[in-house]
Amino acid sequence: AQKVTQAQTEISVVEKEDVTLDCVYETRDTTYYLFWYKQPPSGELVFLIRRNSFDEQNEISGRYSWNFQKSTSSFNFTITASQVVDSAVYFCALSEAGSNTGKLIFGQGTTLQVKP
Amino acid sequence: EAQVTQNPRYLITVTGKKLTVTCSQNMNHEYMSWYRQDPGLGLRQIYYSMNVEVTDKGDVPEGYKVSRKEKRNFPLILESPSPNQTSLYFCASSLKGQGVGYTFGSGTRLTVV
């Protein structure tokens, strides 16, 4: 069965600290896609990254980095030198290429609070 | 600008009063879908549509209807809203679904009293 688990419900850090958001997924498909979305207090979903199952290279984009490890079925997200503007709910999601519903399977979300 | 437009952004209604949340995309996407977001549950799929006149149930379809008469529009209909449908709703579109990039609307916060 497909599933995405974000075990951390809430994380609180002080500005400039590094923080890692965990994401563990389950799928039987060999071809799948993993996503991270940010939901600021205004409520919209902001796309951050998409990775496919054949590309295990880590990715860095400014203060953001992602560690994709198929061996542990994890796709963790690290924010370096966090800022107050990073405060949001972050969702990890999975999409299976073999799905006939096109569904994005979301984790429960992690609420990140960055204090000044 | 490529986008998914949802209306209204906020809605407060009473139990049993039929309502429609509209969703429109300007990217000629074949695939469209509705999700609801509830605390601790993430987003769950309500209905999806692979193309015009092709719709199917997602994980939580009870109490909802949809239609896809034209490619760009995918309205979500609540025939008789109940308080347990109080939620944040998102419409999404994708070229064909199945892992290709999804574009989300800004969300509709619905309260049923």
Side-chain angles (χ1 to χ4, degrees), chain B residues 27-70:
Chain B
M27 296 164 282
N28 202 35
H29 284 172
E30 291 184 2
Y31 179 89
M32 298 184 75
S33 183
W34 277 101
Y35 293 82
R36 61 176 288 173
Q37 180 185 346
D38 301 291
L41 297 176
L43 282 79
R44 294 175 294 167
Q45 189 183 56
I46 303 171
Y47 268 94
Y48 66 95
S49 170
M50 288 294 192
N51 214 323
V52 176
E53 302 291 5
V54 181
T55 64
D56 209 343
K57 296 177 181 178
D59 295 322
V60 288
E62 293 78 21
Y64 304 95
K65 285 174 56 177
V66 293
S67 69
R68 189 92 182 270
K69 293 187 171 65
E70 358 164 51

Side-chain angles (χ1 to χ4, degrees), chain A residues 33 35 37 39 42-45 50 91 95-97 99-104 106-108, chain B residues 9 31 35 37 40-43 45 48 50 59 88 90 97-102 104 106:
Chain A
Y33 304 88
F35 301 79
Y37 289 88
Q39 186 177 48
S42 52
E44 72 271 21
L45 286 169
R50 182 191 98 158
F91 289 100
S95 174
E96 298 171 320
S99 166
N100 56 4
T101 70
K103 179 170 61 178
L104 269 174
F106 284 84
Q108 304 92 319
Chain B
R9 191 77 193 273
Y31 179 89
Y35 293 82
Q37 180 185 346
L41 297 176
L43 282 79
Q45 189 183 56
Y48 66 95
M50 288 294 192
D59 295 322
L88 178 57
F90 288 98
Q98 298 174 339
V100 183
Y102 298 84
F104 281 86
S106 299

Side-chain angles (χ1 to χ4, degrees), chain A residues 11 13 19 21 24 44 60 65 68 79 89 112:
Chain A
I11 302 175
V13 299
V19 58
L21 309 182
V24 174
E44 72 271 21
I60 298 175
S65 62
F68 176 26
I79 302 174
V89 181
L112 173 65

Side-chain angles (χ1 to χ4, degrees), chain B:
Chain B
E1 180 189 353
Q3 60 185 1
V4 175
T5 303
Q6 277 180 244
N7 280 298
R9 191 77 193 273
Y10 301 93
L11 179 60
I12 301 174
T13 191
V14 296
T15 300
K17 185 176 181 182
K18 181 180 178 180
L19 66 92
T20 299
V21 183
T22 63
C23 174
S24 181
Q25 51 95 1
N26 62 1
M27 296 164 282
N28 202 35
H29 284 172
E30 291 184 2
Y31 179 89
M32 298 184 75
S33 183
W34 277 101
Y35 293 82
R36 61 176 288 173
Q37 180 185 346
D38 301 291
L41 297 176
L43 282 79
R44 294 175 294 167
Q45 189 183 56
I46 303 171
Y47 268 94
Y48 66 95
S49 170
M50 288 294 192
N51 214 323
V52 176
E53 302 291 5
V54 181
T55 64
D56 209 343
K57 296 177 181 178
D59 295 322
V60 288
E62 293 78 21
Y64 304 95
K65 285 174 56 177
V66 293
S67 69
R68 189 92 182 270
K69 293 187 171 65
E70 358 164 51
K71 205 171 193 177
R72 63 183 294 124
N73 295 323
F74 190 45
L76 179 69
I77 304 155
L78 285 73
E79 294 270 3
S80 183
S82 62
N84 65 12
Q85 293 178 298
T86 292
S87 188
L88 178 57
Y89 292 86
F90 288 98
C91 181
S93 75
S94 171
L95 190 59
K96 288 187 182 292
Q98 298 174 339
V100 183
Y102 298 84
T103 302
F104 281 86
S106 299
T108 295
R109 193 169 290 279
L110 172 66
T111 302
V112 184
V113 298

